[in-house]
Amino acid sequence: MKRISVWFYISCSSREPVKGWLKKLDANNRRIIGEDIKTVEIGWPLGMPLVRKMDKNLWEVRSDISDGRIARVLFTVQGKMMVLLHGFIKKSKSTPKSDFDLAKNRRNDVLKQR
């Protein structure tokens, strides 16, 4: 049974950026990321190695995808909702500041709507 449900962040222009990002990935990588997100839905709260806290009310799902690449989906939790804020393929050791700041801004948008 799910402990939290997944929702996609919706921008003020009615876009769902994480959904759009996922659609650009191949089917196998979408499946891997989807299974990892489903594990979080069922087992929340979780920690490493699958989930890492990044900031207050901000976590990342850590997925190992094809070709040795690493995908990250940053999310917040509001009540019983896991809101997917931003997804990207990690290309460096640390999360790029631009990706982190974008996720924090979207998190703040979600939390303002309480």
Side-chain angles (χ1 to χ4, degrees):
M1 183 171 166
K2 292 181 185 180
R3 299 185 83 172
I4 56 176
S5 296
V6 170
W7 294 81
F8 288 97
Y9 170 82
I10 301 172
S11 70
C12 57
S13 60
S14 300
R15 289 182 43 247
E16 295 173 309
V18 176
K19 188 181 281 187
W21 173 74
L22 286 168
K23 287 180 179 181
K24 293 177 187 174
L25 299 175
D26 68 47
N28 184 55
N29 288 334
R30 280 195 308 271
R31 180 188 56 75
I32 292 166
I33 294 167
E35 287 175 359
D36 288 343
I37 290 170
K38 184 176 180 180
T39 299
V40 176
E41 280 184 286
I42 294 167
W44 183 254
L46 293 173
M48 293 289 281
L50 182 61
V51 175
R52 182 171 72 128
K53 187 162 187 162
M54 303 290 290
D55 197 45
K56 184 177 181 185
N57 297 314
L58 185 64
W59 295 266
E60 68 177 1
V61 177
R62 305 157 54 90
S63 299
D64 293 321
I65 58 174
S66 64
D67 301 327
R69 295 182 303 161
I70 300 168
R72 297 289 188 256
V73 177
L74 287 93
F75 69 95
T76 191
V77 174
Q78 183 180 28
K80 296 277 186 185
M81 295 187 320
M82 173 186 188
V83 183
L84 306 182
L85 304 169
H86 181 57
F88 63 98
I89 304 296
K90 196 162 179 187
K91 296 178 180 154
S92 62
K93 190 170 177 109
S94 61
T95 300
K97 184 174 177 1
S98 59
D99 291 301
F100 184 63
D101 288 346
L102 179 60
K104 286 195 314 185
N105 288 336
R106 290 176 178 169
R107 172 207 56 198
N108 294 343
D109 287 346
V110 169
L111 297 178
K112 269 194 302 193
Q113 296 172 14
R114 282 188 169 171

